[in-house]
Amino acid sequence: MSPSGAEIIRQIREGVDEIDPADARDQLGNGAVLVDVRESEEFESGHIPGAQHVPRGYLESRIENAVPDRSQHVVLYCASGQRSALAAHTLSDLLGYEHVESLKGGITLWKDRGYEVAVPQTLSKEQRERYSRHLLIPEVGLDGQQKLLGAKVLLLGAGGLGAPAALYLAAAGVGTLGIVDDDEVDLSNLQRQVIHNTERIGVPKVDSAEETIQALNPDVKVVKHKTRLEASNIMELLEPYDIVVDGADNFPTRYLLNDASVRLRMPVVSASILGFDGQLSVFKPYEGPCYRCLYPVPPPAELAPSCGANGVLGVLPGVMGLLQATEVIKLIVEQGEPLVGRLLLYEALGATFTELKVRRDPECPICSRDPEEISDDEMGVFPDYEAFCEASG
Ligand SMILES: [Zn+2]
């Protein structure tokens, strides 16, 4: 009578070397290769960090890719130690691997001992559908979408630039959007600030923006900062974020933001608008110029938008805000050529885009020095702003 399956497994296991999780851990530090022989769904729901994945059903055909050297020390594991023992038998007895062990108790015992398990983030069924058009482009894909969901972006202002940028960043699945704005929605905003609406006139812009974003994409966490950006709070406000979207409408804030972001080595995606003209650049500290390299002194006061109400074509901040959102996404998914060291000028009446090279200024008062050297007193230093605006008449 032929032996039962259970009997064969017992015999095979007797002939296979088993290794205790603690010893396996030491061996991994000594260069042993760890191979997970479970099915794909099991691997994806959590595996031992650094493990290669070769499902047992593909062992003979794929192990040479994972472990080309047959003298290499290999530790195999599965859920409980049974499949890995059978796989170890195949590797040593049939494929000629010289030093093969099976992890005793599998990943179950490994976890019980409190050792580390990597649980890859996966998208829910709903997220796969929501972001399906991102998953179809390799530059984003699953990896990029997970980066977006894990990203923290701070928007300065939920106004002309911030409104369209926030809408598209939320739609794209940027996981955390902070919004700094102490203003309320005004009727005159609605010609361009599309995140707000007529019913919300008089409502704080951060609340209005949050409501629109939540309705668009519940994956996004909105952090509301109903305050003005000042030297006293800027470091604290910026610190939890990865990237800043600058939609500030005044020069003192831009200088302050620049100095703080250089200190924190945090990239700023900056845009400005006036009339039919827009400007855009990415200030990535120490990789490209900073705002002060580009504008060592503020432009003439009569051109300073914050000195009074200036006209702007309603669509223009939409164009520029979406170019900002595009740069933010590129930075997060680490694809393409960010607009670092380049100033993009858009002129809507002539329908022209022009690009200017901007270089780091070796004499720049801020980014020519190490971040630790920039003191609190120097941050946002700017000529007297009241006087500056008065000079413009
Ligand atoms: Zn600089």
Side-chain angles (χ1 to χ4, degrees):
M1 198 178 84
S2 303
S4 67
E7 176 62 18
I8 289 173
I9 290 170
R10 196 188 59 76
Q11 283 175 10
I12 288 174
R13 286 189 77 158
E14 273 177 9
V16 165
D17 291 328
E18 287 195 322
I19 184 167
D20 185 80
D23 296 334
R25 227 160 144 253
D26 292 343
Q27 289 307 313
L28 296 180
N30 293 334
V33 176
L34 185 66
V35 178
D36 187 323
V37 298
R38 297 174 301 158
E39 302 302 315
S40 293
E41 310 85 73
E42 295 178 278
F43 182 80
E44 280 164 17
S45 71
H47 57 263
I48 299 175
Q52 307 241 27
H53 182 219
V54 183
R56 190 178 161 234
Y58 296 96
L59 194 67
E60 293 84 348
S61 57
R62 293 189 188 166
I63 190 66
E64 284 173 319
N65 278 331
V67 190
D69 177 5
R70 282 176 158 72
S71 65
Q72 168 77 51
H73 182 192
V74 183
V75 176
L76 304 173
Y77 78 91
C78 60
S80 66
Q82 179 153 308
R83 282 174 289 171
S84 59
L86 299 173
H89 171 73
T90 306
L91 283 199
S92 48
D93 285 37
L94 298 178
L95 294 168
Y97 282 80
E98 292 161 20
H99 189 183
V100 183
E101 288 173 311
S102 169
L103 182 69
K104 194 174 155 192
I107 193 172
T108 310
L109 182 61
W110 175 274
K111 277 193 218 167
D112 286 349
R113 296 269 176 91
Y115 299 149
E116 199 190 343
V117 174
V119 182
Q121 288 184 315
T122 48
L123 301 182
S124 67
K125 190 167 166 284
E126 199 181 312
Q127 286 174 323
R128 284 185 180 276
E129 197 170 334
R130 178 181 287 272
Y131 307 117
S132 60
R133 299 305 187 275
H134 270 169
L135 301 179
L136 287 169
I137 41 176
E139 289 80 359
V140 182
L142 180 62
D143 192 40
Q145 191 60 53
Q146 282 170 343
K147 285 180 183 164
L148 289 168
L149 287 164
K152 295 178 177 139
V153 176
L154 183 68
L155 295 132
L156 294 192
L161 294 162
L167 271 181
Y168 271 86
L169 291 175
V174 171
T176 304
L177 286 178
I179 303 173
V180 184
D181 203 310
D182 70 340
D183 220 353
E184 274 102 44
V185 179
D186 184 83
L187 181 57
S188 68
N189 299 150
L190 300 180
Q191 165 247 26
R192 61 203 176 282
Q193 299 179 16
V194 293
I195 205 164
H196 312 300
N197 65 40
T198 309
E199 278 176 14
R200 297 198 206 126
I201 290 168
V203 171
K205 285 188 179 176
V206 287
D207 294 336
S208 169
E210 181 189 38
E211 207 177 320
T212 306
I213 289 169
Q214 291 304 315
L216 173 62
N217 188 351
D219 283 347
V220 181
K221 181 182 159 204
V222 177
V223 182
K224 298 183 283 184
H225 306 281
K226 192 175 183 306
T227 181
R228 287 182 88 80
L229 203 61
E230 279 159 4
S232 59
N233 65 11
I234 188 164
M235 294 298 280
E236 198 187 328
L237 275 171
L238 258 54
E239 219 150 19
Y241 295 93
D242 307 317
I243 300 172
V244 183
V245 178
D246 180 13
D249 59 359
N250 66 82
F251 290 101
T253 303
R254 286 183 188 268
Y255 281 92
L256 180 62
L257 169 64
N258 178 70
D259 303 349
S261 62
V262 170
R263 254 174 79 165
L264 292 166
R265 296 177 181 270
M266 191 178 287
V268 176
V269 179
S270 178
S272 64
I273 45 167
L274 193 62
F276 292 89
D277 298 333
Q279 292 192 356
L280 181 79
S281 196
V282 174
F283 299 108
K284 202 170 181 195
Y286 302 104
E287 285 186 31
C290 75
Y291 189 75
R292 282 190 194 265
C293 294
L294 178 59
Y295 296 112
V297 291
E302 61 270 22
L303 295 179
S306 57
C307 291
N310 283 277
V312 65
L313 180 72
V315 177
L316 186 75
V319 174
M320 301 312 292
L322 295 194
L323 286 171
Q324 282 182 295
T326 310
E327 290 304 307
V328 169
I329 290 171
K330 281 162 59 186
L331 288 173
I332 294 170
V333 303
E334 297 171 280
Q335 291 290 331
E337 286 297 320
L339 204 63
V340 175
R342 298 184 284 154
L343 180 68
L344 185 69
L345 308 175
Y346 171 53
E347 202 271 295
L349 278 183
T352 57
F353 281 95
T354 314
E355 192 184 299
L356 305 176
K357 284 257 174 298
V358 188
R359 287 190 170 67
R360 274 184 78 182
D361 177 1
E363 305 282 293
C364 174
I366 295 295
C367 80
S368 68
R369 298 181 300 157
D370 286 335
E372 304 76 43
E373 291 174 15
I374 305 165
S375 70
D376 285 349
D377 307 345
E378 289 173 275
M379 294 226 309
V381 168
F382 187 82
D384 178 3
Y385 201 66
E386 303 276 310
F388 173 75
C389 282
E390 271 166 28
S392 72

